[in-house]
Amino acid sequence: MESAAETAASGGPLAGVRVIDMATVVMGPYAAQILGDLGADVIKIESPNDTVRVGALHRTPGMTPLNLNVNRNKRSVTLNLKDEGERAQALELIGTADILITNMRIDALRRLGMDYDSLAASSPRLVYAHAQGFRSDSDRARLAAYDETVQAASGLLDLAQRAGDVGAPVVLPSIFGDKVAALTIVYAALAALVHQRATGRGQHIEVPMVDTLLAFNLVEHLQGRTFEPPMGPTGFPLSMNKGHRARPTKDGLAMVIPYSPQNFRDLFAAAGRPDLAEDPRVNGEFIDSTRDGEALAALLETVTPRLTTAQWAEVCTKHSIPFGPVLRLDEAAEDPYVQGGHLLDVAEHPSEGAYRVVGIPLAFSATPASVRRHAPLPGQHTADVLGELARSEVRR
């Protein structure tokens, strides 16, 4: 039999931590799933109408691809929070938790008696992570927030418009704001958990999506506006370079990004064009991306078709030139790198059969993260979890 230490280790670094996921769609559930991957016992209190369970692609109603990708390592409990008795059960469950994650509107939480102030007295150890679109103390607090609107309000669409020189910028084709906010919820909740373990006290955490994504964008893009008075505009020159794009190779596409003058000279020599290495634009102390970036990008695209993607990988490895092959997502499962990292292995779901599992993109030497539970059916664990709650009450 395993010792207590071995049991904790085999369950991941968060073994013994309980999380209540009372969030919908992607942001909160993705954060809770990551905590579950790290070993936490995650109980999802959900309505069967969660939009993450709605979609055309499914084998069983409610078991959509998005649901499978944000709700693994959880136990699902279906409770109607508008029903007094079931709301009382939800409150009992919250009383057993270390962390609560929710993105419900604050007015709705207050009506249910599930806002932080209502819970703190009876659950002083609770780490209460509340995510929403805009700050609660702002005049935008009650605006409905979706990833597209968050990308707009955080300045991301402005960057896309300026970098692409287009009139109507397209949103980044990823639920970017939700996932950045989810990662922020994870590290904030873990920091608060350290404080809870040291002091016995929980706290309220607010994660506004717009503030989170704006801060994320400004790390490099504040640029000249960092100084007061300003020394220049916003926008990180390398990222705003209109030549910052994949290059055609002899047999496909690759991201070949020479940054230094030496990178350019080595690349031109490898392509059989040492004459281009004499260009004064690649013989200074640095590359002036603002002045020469677009022209040098056009020049690069005249030489990259001379070698295959594999040949460019060898050249770039030899000369430390930033390089990455363009991955076609439809071919990702067959990509050797993806296979080697177990990032899209096939697993057998109890109700859905064979499916691809998005892998855990990190490794712990002592307390490995793992996929212990497949995404549950709606309410699959209601009886089990409420039974545990009743037995615990009897013991008390």
Side-chain angles (χ1 to χ4, degrees), residues 161-181:
Q161 182 176 35
R162 290 157 57 189
D165 197 19
V166 294
V170 176
V171 298
L172 192 71
S174 175
I175 309 176
F176 193 67
D178 277 77
K179 290 183 286 186
V180 170

Side-chain angles (χ1 to χ4, degrees), residues 270-301:
R273 291 295 307 274
D275 55 304
L276 296 178
E278 302 302 319
D279 190 312
R281 293 172 297 186
V282 301
N283 278 281
E285 292 183 7
F286 64 94
I287 300 298
D288 190 334
S289 298
T290 303
R291 185 191 68 196
D292 301 324
E294 198 165 353
L296 286 175
L299 188 60
L300 280 174
E301 287 166 19

Side-chain angles (χ1 to χ4, degrees), residues 38 61 88 293 305 348:
L38 297 177
E348 192 72 18

